[in-house]
Amino acid sequence: MQVSAKAMACGLSPMRKFNPYEAEAVKKGRKVYHLNIGQPDIPTPAVAMEAVRNYGEQVLAYAPSAGVPQLINAVRDYYARLGVQYGPKDIYITAGGSEALYFVMLSILDEGCEVIVPEPYYPNYNTFISSAGGKICPLPTSAEEGYHFADKARIEALINDKTRAILYSNPGNPTGAILSKEDLRVLADVAKEHNLYLISDEVYREFVYGGEELTSIAQFDDIDDNAVVIDSTSKRFSACGARIGMAITKNELLQQQLNKFCQGRLATAVLEQIAAAALYGLDASYFDVVREEYKHRREICYQKLMEIPGVVCREPKGAFYLMPQLPIDDCEKFQIWLLEEFEDNGETLMFAPGTGFYANPEDGKTQVRLAYVLKAEDLERAMEILKIAIEKYNAR
Ligand SMILES: Cc1ncc(COP(=O)(O)O)c(C=O)c1O
């Protein structure tokens, strides 16, 4: 029996592939601090559960394929507050931002097509692109340059006749870098000039810590044909389990293709869409509170991390991740050792090894991604464990 080359081109998620080792560690009675996955511990706003409790229908019927009007309208209102007018047919509700990315890739890529992605990148981008027959064309960035990549010449050097799109996350996972309005203008102009889709993954939009408002690609009104926004309830409303996200575009040809994939999978879960509609209706003050909490966590985590000898890290400006370089030989070996052999007072930790965030895994071998999604005292303890673990690992 054979499996597809497309499946073979995909890797396991570095955020989850060490789960079997974790299960063994837990069996041994270890407490594991999870810094590997962007699963916030902040309660989902109560309006979501209330909306589900108040759902009065007798039948859980299929929703319209592109999403329930209640949610689509709530999303339109949310964007109107950002100064962006979307029509009902511009929004396609999906099972998380993940399915939105799948559907966009299935809609725009032919076999062998390329998508330019600044590196390090969110590892599942490879799964979405490879499963649609495409390939990531990495655009290397560095901590020294603040992960800056919005440079016309650097991007144009990667464009060829197979290039269909530029994809980035803003704020960036895993780097925490954010793109300025000027950066976005550069990307918009390149996309326009070369007829490329500009796919802006803005699932962390509200998590920016320097006091500035993040500019959305949606706010540029001259790239309607190029721009695709990926949005999600997961991080913004601490509602990862709702599995509600969306692809948003004004490009009619792309809308028609997205609609086919939405119809093919029939619909997204109804109750979660009802919950999501309530979430999108929340006042902006909700984000002020949550942002402050993440900012505090970032400070604790960054400060403690920088006290570890040999660690090199750039302070993230947004999202909720740090991408330090650690004084270790191999982050995957270190992770396995942490779960199989190490413990400090019965405790250990998980991170996402940097190898999964690069087209060439060697480039991320000494880096890890840490998600500061736990409460401050847990983060402090986790950084203490990391410090002790690095010393013991290197002394073996
Ligand atoms: C950059 C980025 N995009 C998209 C997603 C997908 O999230 P979801 O499918 O939960 O909306 C994630 C999840 O971690 C992410 O970090």
Side-chain angles (χ1 to χ4, degrees):
M1 301 295 282
Q2 269 188 301
V3 296
S4 72
K6 285 177 188 158
M8 292 300 283
C10 300
L12 282 173
S13 161
M15 286 74 84
R16 294 168 189 266
K17 80 182 207 188
F18 296 94
N19 287 1
Y21 294 93
E22 185 222 1
E24 287 304 311
V26 170
K27 260 196 220 158
K28 285 191 235 162
R30 303 262 195 280
K31 173 171 177 179
V32 182
Y33 289 90
H34 291 105
L35 276 59
N36 53 319
I37 191 159
Q39 167 62 67
D41 66 350
I42 290 180
T44 311
V47 290
M49 311 303 181
E50 259 164 52
V52 172
R53 267 185 233 109
N54 294 336
Y55 188 65
E57 301 296 329
Q58 296 294 310
V59 178
L60 266 183
Y62 286 124
S65 294
V68 300
Q70 210 172 326
L71 173 55
I72 290 178
N73 287 333
V75 173
R76 289 175 64 205
D77 290 347
Y78 164 91
Y79 276 92
R81 294 196 286 278
L82 297 181
V84 182
Q85 305 306 322
Y86 280 123
K89 68 177 184 31
D90 299 339
I91 298 165
Y92 293 81
I93 305 297
T94 51
S98 305
E99 193 183 51
L101 283 159
Y102 261 127
F103 287 179
V104 170
M105 295 308 161
L106 289 169
S107 299
I108 66 170
L109 298 181
D110 285 314
E111 206 65 43
C113 284
E114 295 182 10
V115 180
I116 296 174
V117 186
E119 177 186 63
Y121 49 77
Y122 174 54
N124 288 330
Y125 284 167
N126 184 47
T127 305
F128 308 138
I129 292 169
S130 298
S131 56
K135 205 172 126 226
I136 286 185
C137 175
L139 169 51
T141 69
S142 67
E144 294 75 35
E145 290 180 339
Y147 301 109
H148 184 255
F149 70 92
D151 179 294
K152 189 166 194 267
R154 268 163 78 178
I155 299 171
E156 283 185 332
L158 300 176
I159 297 175
N160 60 48
D161 56 0
K162 291 185 183 141
T163 312
R164 289 273 165 95
I166 301 169
L167 164 66
Y168 58 85
S169 63
N170 184 34
N173 174 7
T175 62
I178 58 175
L179 290 158
S180 66
K181 197 170 182 179
E182 294 71 39
D183 290 336
L184 290 169
R185 187 67 257 168
V186 171
L187 301 182
D189 288 343
V190 173
K192 233 160 81 165
E193 199 177 313
H194 294 271
N195 256 331
L196 302 176
Y197 291 100
L198 187 58
I199 306 164
S200 188
D201 179 344
E202 300 183 7
V203 304
Y204 298 95
R205 184 180 299 131
E206 277 79 9
F207 305 126
V208 173
Y209 307 114
E212 69 277 48
E213 283 233 333
L214 187 84
T215 304
S216 168
I217 204 70
Q219 289 162 323
F220 288 72
D221 55 14
D222 64 329
I223 51 163
D224 284 359
D225 271 349
N226 310 84
V228 183
V229 174
I230 303 296
D231 202 320
S232 169
T233 60
S234 293
K235 318 292 169 170
R236 178 170 308 148
F237 302 112
S238 202
C240 296
R243 308 307 306 129
I244 298 293
M246 66 208 69
I248 310 177
T249 182
K250 291 190 177 176
N251 178 317
E252 286 185 15
L253 184 60
L254 179 55
Q255 287 175 357
Q256 288 158 16
Q257 314 320 308
L258 290 171
N259 209 20
K260 292 177 195 170
F261 293 112
C262 286
Q263 292 194 3
R265 63 81 167 102
L266 306 184
T268 302
V270 174
L271 291 178
E272 282 76 358
Q273 290 193 64
I274 298 297
L279 291 170
Y280 274 92
L282 282 173
D283 189 82
S285 57
Y286 163 74
F287 301 116
D288 296 340
V289 177
V290 177
R291 189 183 300 112
E292 275 313 300
E293 176 61 27
Y294 281 123
K295 192 175 171 195
H296 176 56
R297 293 173 180 198
R298 175 190 68 152
E299 271 147 31
I300 301 263
C301 204
Y302 181 68
Q303 200 184 330
K304 288 276 153 203
L305 185 65
M306 295 313 283
E307 286 169 13
I308 303 176
V311 167
V312 181
C313 185
R314 184 152 183 117
E315 188 177 43
K317 294 188 175 350
F320 38 60
Y321 305 101
L322 290 147
M323 188 77 179
Q325 185 164 328
L326 302 183
I328 48 160
D329 59 343
D330 182 326
C331 55
E332 297 208 11
K333 275 197 215 153
F334 182 47
Q335 176 66 91
I336 294 170
W337 176 84
L338 273 164
L339 293 169
E340 282 191 331
E341 297 179 41
F342 172 83
E343 52 96 14
D344 184 66
N345 278 333
E347 299 182 332
T348 188
L349 66 88
M350 286 179 85
F351 47 69
T355 39
F357 294 79
Y358 288 85
N360 175 5
E362 284 294 310
D363 293 337
K365 220 172 158 185
T366 59
Q367 295 177 43
V368 300
R369 190 199 70 173
L370 306 171
Y372 45 96
V373 290
L374 308 180
K375 54 180 185 291
E377 60 262 36
D378 285 352
L379 287 173
E380 249 181 276
R381 172 67 183 138
M383 290 305 103
E384 189 180 302
I385 291 172
L386 183 62
K387 184 172 185 223
I388 298 166
I390 290 173
E391 275 165 23
K392 286 200 176 160
Y393 180 77
N394 286 331
R396 284 167 315 149

